Amino acid sequence: MKACRCRGQKGEQRVSGAELGWGDEPSVLIFADREQDRAAALAAAKSVGARVIGSERIADAGERLNRQAAVDSVLIEVSEDTPQLDRLLEWANHAARNGTAAPIISLPRALIDLVAARIDEPKVALLCDATVEDRTGALAFAVAERKHRLHDQGVEADAERLRRLSEEVARIAGALAELSTTARVAAYSPFPVAAGGAGEEELDADKVRALIRVRRLRDQFFPKDLFADPAWDMLLDLMAARLEQSRVAVSSLCIAAAVPATTALRWIRTLTEHGLFVRRHDTEDGRRIFIELSDGAADALAAYFRTVHQMGVRLG
């Protein structure tokens, strides 16, 4: 069978026609520099019954995309910062925004801040330190969204699981957004408003940090994922940072979420979409952003701490 030549790290490598495939299955284009990343992406594509129409190095992505007529999903395996990466991430934003393709970006934890600063389109899937199963689930969801059909029941289950998770994230974020509005008109009043925002004058960052430490203490006695609540953990971390007048990078917030980085990135994106979080560009480094609480979210948290105080509960 005819083979396609794809340049790897050590010269040319061949990806067979059996791996690339031709037909009416969902089409996938792969960009990867490391052989292990390419192999993982190919395995994910095979699992969802997709056909790989190309597998290229990231340096060749621009030329390959210029001559690509159409593709359902593009798997971008980022392993390091390269001169071509910014343009590829810009393309991913544009493609997702216009619906021309469903981009999936797999990246190492070390590049979270760099990639997050460039990707602001919610429809771009971000995976951190991803396994083949992570890639398979994301790709299944991407092609299901575009084609509304899949060829494997196991893949359908992955797509359905991801869809429900996304809906749950959106539901909770919507509830929090509503809370940030109702906090200002509820029976209790928030803390006196300080110059920096909603009710921070009487709040103590040390008490917020103490509450975070108490939450982490549970992990010593129960399975870590039993009480996973990334939205709340991130809200608390950002509230403490707001009180300390410090800034929080995306990578740091992922750590505060106490869940896998891919899950944390999904929550950050959803909470930003719903107005709880705000992206702020680093004025000293254009390739990095910080995440802050919106004034409405800070208002709601201030009201929460006020209510806890009125109940006589001491947090620190």
Side-chain angles (χ1 to χ4, degrees):
M1 184 172 284
K2 199 172 182 179
C4 172
R5 292 178 182 269
C6 299
R7 289 193 295 275
Q9 286 182 311
K10 298 181 180 179
E12 287 190 337
Q13 73 170 54
R14 288 177 177 267
V15 179
S16 69
E19 289 173 301
L20 293 180
W22 288 269
D24 61 355
E25 301 89 351
S27 58
V28 177
L29 187 58
I30 296 171
F31 295 118
D33 289 335
R34 300 191 305 180
E35 178 53 34
Q36 61 265 38
D37 294 336
R38 178 179 286 105
L42 286 169
K46 180 179 179 180
S47 294
V48 302
R51 59 188 175 96
V52 179
I53 60 175
S55 177
E56 311 275 355
R57 295 189 62 190
I58 286 180
D60 301 321
E63 188 275 334
R64 181 68 171 84
L65 290 168
N66 284 338
R67 58 186 173 86
Q68 181 62 48
V71 63
D72 290 313
S73 185
V74 178
L75 267 169
I76 302 171
E77 300 284 343
V78 179
S79 57
E80 61 181 341
D81 185 9
T82 63
Q84 299 83 8
L85 183 57
D86 278 356
R87 291 192 63 185
L88 186 52
L89 296 179
E90 182 181 350
W91 174 88
N93 265 331
H94 182 78
R97 190 174 298 120
N98 293 337
T100 55
I104 300 169
I105 301 176
S106 177
L107 64 146
R109 185 179 294 269
L111 295 181
I112 284 179
D113 290 321
L114 185 149
V115 174
R118 287 291 178 266
I119 297 296
D120 58 8
E121 172 53 51
K123 294 180 181 178
V124 179
L126 298 180
L127 309 177
C128 184
D129 295 333
T131 63
V132 172
E133 290 74 16
D134 293 332
R135 292 173 173 88
T136 300
L139 188 56
F141 187 67
V143 298
E145 284 286 293
R146 291 181 61 81
K147 295 295 186 179
H148 303 290
R149 64 179 177 85
L150 289 168
H151 301 283
D152 182 85
Q153 290 184 351
V155 171
E156 286 182 353
D158 284 337
E160 177 65 14
R161 176 177 57 81
L162 287 173
R163 183 188 66 79
R164 290 180 179 177
L165 177 59
S166 297
E167 289 180 351
E168 179 67 6
V169 170
R171 183 189 65 77
I172 295 174
L176 288 170
E178 182 179 354
L179 175 61
S180 69
T181 300
T182 58
R184 291 187 289 272
V185 297
Y188 53 81
S189 60
F191 291 137
V193 177
E200 295 157 19
E201 190 173 58
E202 295 182 14
L203 280 177
D204 186 339
D206 289 339
K207 292 181 179 180
V208 180
R209 295 290 183 199
L211 179 56
I212 295 173
R213 289 193 296 273
V214 169
R215 290 173 62 75
R216 296 281 70 81
L217 186 64
R218 297 177 305 189
D219 299 341
Q220 297 183 23
F221 304 97
F222 298 95
K224 185 176 180 179
D225 57 355
L226 184 62
F227 299 108
D229 191 357
W232 186 239
D233 286 327
M234 289 189 289
L235 283 165
L236 291 175
D237 189 71
L238 290 178
M239 188 63 171
R242 185 177 173 109
L243 293 167
E244 297 162 345
Q245 298 186 342
S246 60
R247 299 187 296 182
V248 180
V250 175
S251 55
S252 297
L253 192 57
C254 287
I255 294 172
V259 291
T262 296
T263 303
L265 288 170
R266 188 180 300 119
W267 276 98
I268 291 171
R269 172 173 296 172
T270 303
L271 293 170
T272 301
E273 285 186 83
H274 285 78
L276 278 296
F277 293 172
V278 178
R279 291 164 55 99
R280 301 288 188 199
H281 284 277
D282 186 349
T283 56
E284 298 178 358
D285 183 356
R287 306 187 79 198
R288 182 169 66 168
I289 62 168
F290 297 107
I291 304 296
E292 300 176 358
L293 282 181
S294 66
D295 288 341
D299 213 5
L301 277 168
Y304 164 79
F305 281 106
R306 173 68 174 180
T307 303
V308 169
H309 178 73
Q310 289 175 347
M311 293 171 63
V313 178
R314 300 188 60 181
L315 298 178

